[in-house]
Amino acid sequence: MLSVLLTKLLATALVVIGVSVTVARLGPRLGGILAGTPIVLGPGYFFMLQEQSAEFVRSAVLSTLHALVATLLFSSCYVVTAARLGAPGSLGLATLCWIPAAFLFSLLPGGIWAAVLLYVAVLAMAEGIRRALDLKQSVVVARSGWFDLLLRGLLAGLVVGVATTLAARSGPVLSGVLVGFPVGLFTIGWTLHQRYGAEVARCTVSVAQHGMLSLVAFAVVTALMVGSAPPMVTFLLALLASIGVSMALFMLSRWRARSVLSP
C-alpha cells in the first residue's frame, strides 16, 4: 500500500508542478484558461475511476461538490480575516471552517443538482461579501518559485494519495471530501500574502471563487457519465467540460474589461 500511495503522490505532484510551470510560460491568455483546470480533482478522479465502482465514484463526486461549497466559505473566511490575522492565522481559521462545513454539507439530502444549487447560493453570498469589502487592489499573478511549486505539488499529491488509497477504505464520502480540499487557494493565499501583502492576496482569492465553476463542471460531468461510459472517456469528457467553462469565464472577463475601458 505504501508504494501505491507514494506512486500517486509523486504522479499528482508532477502533474501539478507541470501545469503550474506551463501556466507561467503560456502567458495570461492561455495560461489563465489552463489555470482553471482541475489539477487536484483531475488526478484524484483519474485514480478513482480506475479503481472504484461507478456508485462509489458517484457518491464521492457528491461529497466533492459539498466540499467545493465549503471552499467558498474557506475563501470568504480568509478574505474577511487576512488583514487582521496574517497568513498563518487566517488560513488556519479558514481551514477550521472548511473541515466541519464540508462534512456537514455532505449530510444534506438531495443529489447532484441539489448540491449545484447550494453551490450557486453560497457563491452569491461570497460575491456579496466581496462587494461589501470593496476590494479594489489589482490582482497579481505571481511567478512561482521552486519552493512554491514543490509545496503545491507535494500538498496536492498527499491529498490525492490519502484520499484515493487510505480514505477510500472508509467509503466514498471521506474520499470525495478530501479530494475537494482547497489546495490551490491555500497555496495562493499563503504565497501572495507573504510576497505582496494581505490586500493583494484577499483580492486574488476572492476573484478565484468564480474560477471554481470549472471544478463544478468537472464534478457534474463525472457524476453524469460514470457507469454509462468507459472510465477514460468519462475522465476526458469531464476535463473538456472544465476547460470549456474556464474558456467561457476567461472570455467573459475580457469582455467586461473591454466594456469598462471603452468610452
Side-chain angles (χ1 to χ4, degrees):
M1 177 180 292
L2 181 60
S3 62
V4 174
L5 179 63
L6 289 175
T7 298
K8 292 178 178 179
L9 189 155
L10 292 175
T12 302
L14 288 175
V15 169
V16 171
I17 293 172
V19 170
S20 299
V21 171
T22 304
V23 166
R25 293 184 177 181
L26 284 178
R29 182 183 294 271
L30 295 178
I33 295 173
L34 189 59
T37 56
I39 58 175
V40 178
L41 288 189
Y45 278 98
F46 175 84
F47 293 123
M48 266 196 265
L49 285 166
Q50 308 299 321
E51 300 169 355
Q52 304 295 342
S53 67
E55 187 59 35
F56 183 102
V57 173
R58 198 175 292 112
S59 297
V61 167
L62 181 57
S63 295
T64 296
L65 282 172
H66 288 138
L68 291 176
V69 178
T71 296
L72 293 174
L73 299 182
F74 173 98
S75 61
S76 295
C77 179
Y78 173 77
V79 167
V80 170
T81 62
R84 296 182 179 180
L85 300 182
S90 55
L91 288 171
L93 182 60
T95 301
L96 290 177
C97 289
W98 181 88
I99 293 172
F103 285 100
L104 287 175
F105 286 146
S106 68
L107 299 177
L108 294 176
I112 295 296
W113 297 117
V116 171
L117 289 176
L118 177 63
Y119 182 90
V120 172
V122 178
L123 177 61
M125 181 201 72
E127 179 66 14
I129 292 174
R130 186 183 74 84
R131 292 179 180 273
L133 292 174
D134 195 25
L135 299 175
K136 295 181 179 180
Q137 178 71 35
S138 299
V139 177
V140 172
V141 179
R143 184 178 294 274
S144 298
W146 281 110
F147 175 79
D148 304 327
L149 292 175
L150 288 174
L151 175 63
R152 187 180 307 173
L154 291 176
L155 183 57
L158 181 63
V159 167
V160 169
V162 170
T164 60
T165 304
L166 300 179
R169 294 190 168 192
S170 299
V173 173
L174 181 59
S175 188
V177 166
L178 286 178
V179 170
F181 181 77
V183 173
L185 288 183
F186 189 96
T187 55
I188 287 172
W190 182 276
T191 302
L192 295 185
H193 202 128
Q194 298 294 337
R195 291 184 181 179
Y196 301 101
E199 291 306 307
V200 169
R202 293 167 73 203
C203 186
T204 305
V205 168
S206 67
V207 170
Q209 293 172 344
H210 298 137
M212 287 170 53
L213 287 170
S214 66
L215 307 183
V216 174
F218 179 90
V220 169
V221 172
T222 300
L224 294 177
M225 296 302 300
V226 65
S228 59
M232 187 54 64
V233 173
T234 298
F235 177 79
L236 291 176
L237 289 176
L239 187 60
L240 288 174
S242 177
I243 294 174
V245 171
S246 293
M247 291 179 64
L249 291 172
F250 178 78
M251 297 305 295
L252 179 61
S253 67
R254 287 182 61 84
W255 177 78
R256 286 179 175 176
R258 286 197 298 266
S259 298
V260 171
L261 294 176
S262 61

